[in-house]
Amino acid sequence: AGLIESGASAATEVAAAREAGLAAALGALTTAADFEASPFHPGQALRAMNLIVAPGNLATDPEYTAGRAALVDRAMKIGLARGRAAMTAADQAAARGDLTGTRDPLREFVGLADLPTAKEAPLLVGEGAPASVKEFGELASAARDRLRDLRGKEAEFEAIRTAQERAAVAAGLGGKL
């Protein structure tokens, strides 16, 4: 009976040690990601997370890999929200004919959108990464394309502003121009 109790006690200790190691490893990843940074930089978060090496056999532990993927997904979703907000702000500025207001939010987002490559961080952005990694990359690419397309568009934006100013003057005078 003593041998059985001893074996059960050892199994409990091993399970407790595994849980403690899992919590510590995921805690280290969370700390490295620095989700509270302002502005939050998804690429830097993933690079910092990539420096954290899981101890022992945790690297292949399903709970650890799921937890790590959830943290990567969290970083991407924060980045996606910023990217979508930047695209919306750019849309609104473009509708006003505001070239600077269109360009600045796109530049800011693109500056935060430099993710590590699958070669640099295969466990984070390589095969098996959350779908949000691909979605973030696509949004960042769209923002880069849009920013590139703004070059040489000053005349178009000036025409939008002029038309809006004329409409505002006409409305103020009670007529149409």
Side-chain angles (χ1 to χ4, degrees):
L3 187 58
I4 293 174
E5 289 173 5
S6 173
S9 176
T12 301
E13 288 176 22
V14 168
R18 179 191 165 278
E19 288 301 317
L22 182 62
L26 291 175
L29 287 173
T30 301
T31 299
D34 194 11
F35 289 109
E36 304 307 316
S38 182
F40 178 72
H41 194 297
Q44 287 177 354
L46 294 188
R47 283 181 179 83
M49 289 171 64
N50 193 52
L51 297 175
I52 305 300
V53 178
N57 60 357
L58 274 184
T60 57
D61 184 289
E63 278 187 69
Y64 175 76
T65 57
R68 181 181 60 210
L71 292 171
V72 169
D73 191 51
R74 179 178 172 192
M76 293 301 93
K77 287 183 176 171
I78 292 169
L80 283 165
R82 267 193 93 123
R84 290 181 187 121
M87 295 294 252
T88 298
D91 289 343
Q92 292 169 345
R96 294 188 309 269
D98 179 358
L99 179 62
T100 301
T102 303
R103 188 176 36 223
D104 288 351
L106 295 173
R107 278 185 177 161
E108 183 180 338
F109 172 61
V110 166
L112 299 175
D114 62 326
L115 296 182
T117 65
K119 186 176 181 179
E120 293 172 313
L123 298 176
L124 303 177
V125 297
E127 188 176 322
S132 56
V133 172
K134 182 179 180 199
E135 187 179 354
F136 182 84
E138 289 169 352
L139 184 62
S141 179
R144 282 186 203 94
D145 291 347
R146 189 165 173 194
L147 196 53
R148 187 175 37 255
D149 291 346
L150 286 175
R151 292 185 191 127
K153 301 273 181 159
E154 293 82 3
E156 284 181 40
F157 279 82
E158 180 62 32
I160 292 169
R161 274 194 316 278
T162 300
Q164 288 177 343
E165 289 168 1
R166 286 183 180 162
V169 168
L173 297 174
K176 294 183 179 179
L177 290 179

